Amino acid sequence: MQRALDIDRSRFADWYQAVVRDADMAESSPVRGAMVIKPWGYGVWEQIQQELDRRIKATGHENCYFPMFIPLSFIAKEAQHVEGFAKEMAVVTHHRLKNIDGKLQPDPDAKLEEPLVVRPTSETIIGDAFARWVRSHRDLPLLINQWANVVRWEMRPRLFLRTTEFLWQEGHTAHASEGEAIEETRRMLEVYRAFAEDYLAIPVIAGEKPENERFPGALNTYSIEAMMQDGKALQAGTSHFLGTHFAEAQNIRFQDEAGSLTFCNTTSWGVSTRLIGGVIMTHGDDDGLRLPPAIAPKQIVVVPMLRDKVEDAEVLKYCDELVGMLSGERIFGQPLRVHLDIKKTKPTDKRWNWVRRGAPLILEIGPRDAASGQVTYMRRDALRDGDRVKSITKPRQEFLEDVVQLLAEIQAGLYAEAKARLDGNIKEGVTDWKYLEDYFAGDDEEFKGWLKVSWSRPSGPDLEAVETMLKELKLTIRNAPLQQPQSFARCLFTGRAGVEEILIGRAY
Amino acid sequence: MQRALDIDRSRFADWYQAVVRDADMAESSPVRGAMVIKPWGYGVWEQIQQELDRRIKATGHENCYFPMFIPLSFIAKEAQHVEGFAKEMAVVTHHRLKNIDGKLQPDPDAKLEEPLVVRPTSETIIGDAFARWVRSHRDLPLLINQWANVVRWEMRPRLFLRTTEFLWQEGHTAHASEGEAIEETRRMLEVYRAFAEDYLAIPVIAGEKPENERFPGALNTYSIEAMMQDGKALQAGTSHFLGTHFAEAQNIRFQDEAGSLTFCNTTSWGVSTRLIGGVIMTHGDDDGLRLPPAIAPKQIVVVPMLRDKVEDAEVLKYCDELVGMLSGERIFGQPLRVHLDIKKTKPTDKRWNWVRRGAPLILEIGPRDAASGQVTYMRRDALRDGDRVKSITKPRQEFLEDVVQLLAEIQAGLYAEAKARLDGNIKEGVTDWKYLEDYFAGDDEEFKGWLKVSWSRPSGPDLEAVETMLKELKLTIRNAPLQQPQSFARCLFTGRAGVEEILIGRAY
């Protein structure tokens, strides 16, 4: 069977790389671990930014921009934070280059007194500003967001999933009370859940990370976890309740109504370009990427079937009209994004190009369509009938009437497909460690899905023991879902009384 | 006379700082030369981004993202480029921190083999990608834009105008012919001119920079120059024709229709957060900032005159209705941006807060307005009648009918005011160097405006001599306007035949 990719999902890691490349999303750069995000990949990021930004603002947050360089001493202030991040930062030590003996190099006379690190995250530099901005309870809550690039040195980079530099948004807030800060942490987790499901068509499970997986310095870390087509988990967004840890390290205090100085409770939360990797691994198929219409840079691509013949003019005119009519429609609160592909390449190359890129609807308009006022199209979510590519022909008027509904259907269909995969692959009722060991034995790459098990929520060394047991099977605890049952089985690890259900799986 | 600022424009540099601070636009950070852009300042940047991005896309460009770290060897490739930038770059030398003897420091075991510089501009790293992406004439033109942060070490930083880290967009394009690349360079200059004038209400003069002011590695550099209220010039955007310099250094070649390999001609062009400094110095007055409605994060602010009395509920209800009605209107292709200020501070503090921030229309709605269905407002562009703040009261219906026109009028008025200043302060017909010397003698800070003079367009050492003469008076050549006369006076500097008119002035 001829496919648009030369590899299928049975070799998932290679398939992923092939989709990123053939859908023209991104590529490696000469800077180890840093990627070039190409127009089609960046176009998806722009859609993500636009809608998520709207939702972040709708929940009362304002955007700012903070320096990307952080003085070393700032990082050192919060002890756990140092531990968590100190191992992977880019360090700026000089502010000038000099030609010495014919070789360009850092100028020894321009060594910084204090090295600067490139932000791996901005709690410390934003906290410093918060300490200046917060004076009274009237200044609270302080609700800030930033869209920025961050750097965490990666030894084993993978495009979108783990890159040394990546793009993200990071929310940072300060509150008068613990309760309000916890509420904020959960509110933003819910914003992420709804965004992932409604917009990216990625079903997720929202829950709390175990102690050992918390953000360095956080009291609670929440995440949304998505299941990729190889059964592995992708942490797709996190939200942290930081208590007064950072406020104490950075002196973020306010005068409360009674007049006494009190430390703020702070939160932070973020999602990144990693989401694009999640979209690919959730929706891609053996022909390449399939993009949910909500985030497709072009939702409809019109390919005129030009043959260097006189009819070409009629076909182009008809296509122009069609694009004009479609561009007047709206979906997901935005005008339809329609593209007329008039590049000087063969129509069949165009078809496969847009199939690989995952444009939701691909229209192929030939002389017959133009002459009889009809539209011939392919649905990227249901490209084939058996092996054959499925083209549908409809009168233009009917297509125009149906198109918004059709795109909504594609969006819903992609979600339903992924939702069925998630729901169908969480094994429950396992109470026996031996069973788990057997289940995850063998080929690491085989589809396994996740397990949902009860545990006694051990802490400290007991939790470390659990972590080690799991690590030998390349497993981690993903989160404890927000939705919990009334009663629990015994703890899978300790045999003690269970107090919580957690998800276990392999992960990116 | 009571003003909203404690300083007026007669001390322009201090006044500028006061506006940036009191309009809550930005502040210095603990990282020398890097600023924190606060919500109101960032909101202006978001408006700039949104509209300029639309215009950049409308001219056929696509957004990408490239790594911010550039290998040192890349910078070294283009000789003039090295010269121009090597003096001011942040250099990353390590990728890990380590706690050594209780002190966090760069880990000596994690020293990079090749240092990385933080992009001061991205010609070299984007050129590297272009060399991979361009194969055939069918791949051209390649039209790319990037929104990013860049770093150029600043010894004398000034918020928005000169900061070590700043935000910008940088366009990079590759073309099959010199003619097409020059056309692109000029097209983007025109995009900047139109954007500055239509959207920022900043009149500019578009022209070509002299040889000594070219971008390092460019064959031609064009700029738009704006006149600030102290008579100094602000370079507000640049567009560079790079010829084949970068293509040769980076091997960006294509197979032409005849089948032979040819170097591309490339361009680059950019504007930055410096534009915000330009907006402040063009439109600010002794009460603070005045924002052109097109870029005001909030175009209309509604302040309910609450008095902790029973009427408050009626006032709030009336304000809510008003905000709802106003939000339904559109201007500049966008919904009106209306804000209801319900912070728990005094109405009079709110008034001065929004005056300093430059919200175009400030509505103060009290019980009398609510009871009689009217609106009381201030125009920020014409705040005072003599010393007195001028409030206007109108029936609500009339206000709603007029509001879009009113905002358009404010936009046009701010432009006209700045345009009159620019046009009225370019001295022409000076042919005598002595006159110029006398004219610019004395206080550097006194308002002088610009001179438009003829010159013989000297090159090399002759140009250096001119540069030195001007430098002694703290002057620079701004540009040679695109609009040139038919004939020229003798060269002011050399007495030779004039071939071009140029603008001379002091500059930021």
Side-chain angles (χ1 to χ4, degrees), chain A residues 156 212-213 433 436-437 440-442 444 455 462-478 492-493 503-507:
Chain A
R156 297 178 306 120
N212 59 318
E213 300 275 357
W433 176 256
L436 185 145
E437 260 185 329
F440 282 105
D444 288 355
W455 80 333
D462 291 349
L463 178 57
E464 274 171 40
V466 168
E467 206 180 349
T468 307
M469 287 166 77
L470 289 170
K471 202 174 175 184
E472 278 175 22
L473 299 167
K474 303 196 176 172
L475 293 169
T476 49
I477 299 171
R478 304 316 307 155
L492 175 72
F493 308 103
L503 292 171
I504 290 174
R506 287 176 177 146

Side-chain angles (χ1 to χ4, degrees), chain A residues 27-31 34-40 42-43 46 50 53 57 62-72 74-76 82-83 86-99 104-107 112 115-119 125 128-129 132-133 138-139 144 147 149-151 153 155 164-165 167 298 343-345 357, chain B residues 27-31 34-40 42-43 46 50 53 57 62-72 74-76 82-83 86-99 104-107 112 115-119 125 128-129 132-133 138-139 144 147 149-151 153 155 164-165 167 298 343-345 357:
Chain A
E27 62 184 29
S28 299
S29 82
V31 183
M35 65 182 158
V36 175
I37 308 180
K38 300 182 78 173
W40 191 248
Y42 198 80
E46 288 182 308
Q50 190 174 16
D53 191 67
K57 284 176 177 155
E62 292 184 304
N63 286 339
C64 286
Y65 189 77
F66 295 87
M68 77 160 149
F69 293 144
I70 302 179
L72 189 46
F74 278 45
I75 300 281
V82 177
E83 271 311 303
K87 297 212 165 82
E88 38 174 347
M89 289 194 261
V91 192
V92 176
T93 54
H94 295 72
H95 66 81
R96 195 187 305 136
L97 294 173
K98 194 176 179 182
N99 207 322
L104 200 60
Q105 46 196 283
D107 182 350
L112 296 173
L116 298 169
V117 302
V118 180
R119 62 182 160 221
I125 189 89
D128 177 75
R132 288 192 301 275
W133 297 352
R138 279 187 216 90
D139 300 324
I144 293 298
W147 291 94
N149 54 345
V150 286
V151 170
W153 214 265
M155 292 307 173
T164 290
E165 180 185 4
L167 304 181
K298 307 293 174 193
K343 261 200 155 188
K344 293 201 180 309
T345 51
R357 286 167 173 245
Chain B
E27 62 184 28
S28 300
S29 83
V31 183
M35 66 182 157
V36 175
I37 308 180
K38 300 181 79 172
W40 191 248
Y42 198 80
E46 288 182 308
Q50 190 174 16
D53 191 66
K57 284 176 177 153
E62 292 185 302
N63 286 341
C64 285
Y65 189 77
F66 295 86
M68 78 160 148
F69 293 145
I70 303 180
L72 189 46
F74 277 44
I75 301 281
V82 177
E83 271 312 303
K87 299 214 164 83
E88 38 175 346
M89 289 192 260
V91 191
V92 176
T93 54
H94 295 73
H95 66 81
R96 195 188 304 136
L97 294 173
K98 196 177 178 181
N99 207 320
L104 200 60
Q105 47 196 283
D107 182 349
L112 296 173
L116 299 170
V117 303
V118 180
R119 61 183 161 219
I125 189 91
D128 177 74
R132 289 192 302 276
W133 296 354
R138 278 187 216 90
D139 300 324
I144 293 299
W147 291 94
N149 53 345
V150 286
V151 170
W153 214 265
M155 293 307 172
T164 290
E165 180 185 6
L167 304 180
K298 307 293 175 194
K343 262 200 153 187
K344 291 201 180 312
T345 51
R357 286 166 173 245

Side-chain angles (χ1 to χ4, degrees), chain B residues 23 40 288-292 296 298 353-360 380:
Chain B
W40 191 248
L289 184 55
R290 299 185 303 170
L291 281 173
K298 307 293 175 194
N353 176 41
W354 294 112
V355 163
R356 284 188 296 261
R357 286 166 173 245
R380 181 61 186 89

